Amino acid sequence: MPSKMLHIPTADGQADAFATFPDRGERHPGVLMYADGFGIRPVLREMARELAGHGYYVLVPNLFYRHGPAPVIELPEYIGEEARSAVFAQLMPLIEAHTAERVLSDADAYLRFLTTQPEVAAGPVAVTGYCIGGLLAVRTAAAHPGQVAAVAAFHGPVGADGPDALAEITAQVHFGHAESDLTPEALGELNQALDAAGVGYTSEIYPGTVHGFTMSDTDAFDPAGLKRHWDHLLPLLDRTLRVAP
């Protein structure tokens, strides 16, 4: 699977990014993948390559490029419980500095770049995200209703901006929540907001999971949760981006 590091022009400079796509000499539907707070690292590259293998051009930007190229902070190969607090102490200032205004400005740049790559097919794109990247995916879909056909978010704070933000989404949606992140009551409220907004969606708690369950380099990893994530994500993209089987 071909892959490369790229630089995306933004209003605030150049965002480094990882891109991967099938080596078939064809053009493929584009997917913008937002990493979790830990950023671009081997597990994210592996997930992007797996998705690309199903017929997509996948672009993974460094969310915190304003603070330096990825990895912005030094990460252990395995982010276990002992390392987690020290890592988050470094990450939180970066996350807090990544304002909604910056998110939307960057999203414009990312989508403009993605859709002009020679390997990317014309037509709508999809956006997916993990953890904080899930919220960024939702914000991107809401800000680009005519361009984003599908949005998927996993163990992310997708309702953080309130029901009015969800009402802007025209994309098909899948939200996969960690059991530790959302009570059944909170899920019901979120889904009611999606219903009221007229969004086409699936939104469910993945049983037995904790926050970060898709990430195999953390203690949160749950193989069944990761499989369930693919079982929802791939049909969603297939359906909305019209990839031939």
Side-chain angles (χ1 to χ4, degrees):
M1 197 68 57
S3 60
K4 54 188 174 182
M5 292 301 295
L6 300 169
H7 288 89
I8 304 172
T10 75
D12 292 328
Q14 298 271 327
D16 50 309
F18 175 77
T20 182
F21 48 91
D23 187 17
R24 300 177 194 152
E26 303 167 353
R27 299 172 77 195
H28 308 281
V31 180
L32 175 61
M33 178 185 284
Y34 285 116
D36 59 1
F38 298 132
I40 300 172
R41 59 196 193 282
V43 69
L44 256 296
R45 293 187 183 95
E46 181 183 323
M47 291 175 76
R49 287 190 185 100
E50 182 163 351
L51 181 54
H54 292 273
Y56 301 97
Y57 182 109
V58 184
L59 181 68
V60 189
N62 169 18
L63 306 181
F64 306 130
Y65 68 89
R66 292 174 180 84
H67 305 274
V72 179
I73 67 168
E74 189 174 342
L75 291 172
E77 283 187 28
Y78 186 83
I79 309 166
E81 199 57 43
E82 291 180 5
R84 194 177 180 88
S85 59
V87 169
F88 263 102
Q90 297 177 76
L91 280 177
M92 284 312 297
L94 309 187
I95 293 171
E96 289 166 358
H98 201 53
T99 61
E101 184 179 20
R102 284 183 170 184
V103 170
L104 295 180
S105 175
D106 287 348
D108 291 346
Y110 299 157
L111 290 178
R112 185 166 54 247
F113 183 87
L114 174 63
T115 55
T116 55
Q117 294 311 292
E119 302 90 355
V120 175
V125 301
V127 185
T128 185
Y130 303 89
C131 183
I132 188 65
L135 175 58
L136 273 52
V138 169
R139 287 175 173 171
T140 300
H144 297 270
Q147 191 171 20
V148 176
V151 58
F154 302 92
H155 47 84
V158 293
D161 292 339
D164 289 348
L166 298 174
E168 300 299 317
I169 295 174
T170 59
Q172 293 290 306
V173 170
H174 176 70
F175 293 152
H177 310 283
E179 198 172 79
S180 67
D181 283 347
L182 211 63
T183 65
E185 292 74 22
L187 175 66
E189 291 174 5
L190 173 65
N191 291 354
Q192 283 178 6
L194 291 166
D195 286 332
V199 175
Y201 73 93
T202 55
S203 172
E204 63 186 58
I205 294 171
Y206 287 18
T209 58
V210 297
H211 182 74
F213 62 81
T214 58
M215 299 298 158
S216 61
D217 61 351
T218 74
D219 289 341
F221 180 56
D222 182 89
L226 178 62
K227 181 181 184 302
R228 194 182 187 103
H229 140 281
W230 289 119
D231 289 348
H232 280 289
L233 178 59
L234 295 174
L236 172 68
L237 301 187
D238 221 28
R239 189 168 67 248
T240 55
L241 302 185
R242 295 181 173 82
V243 175

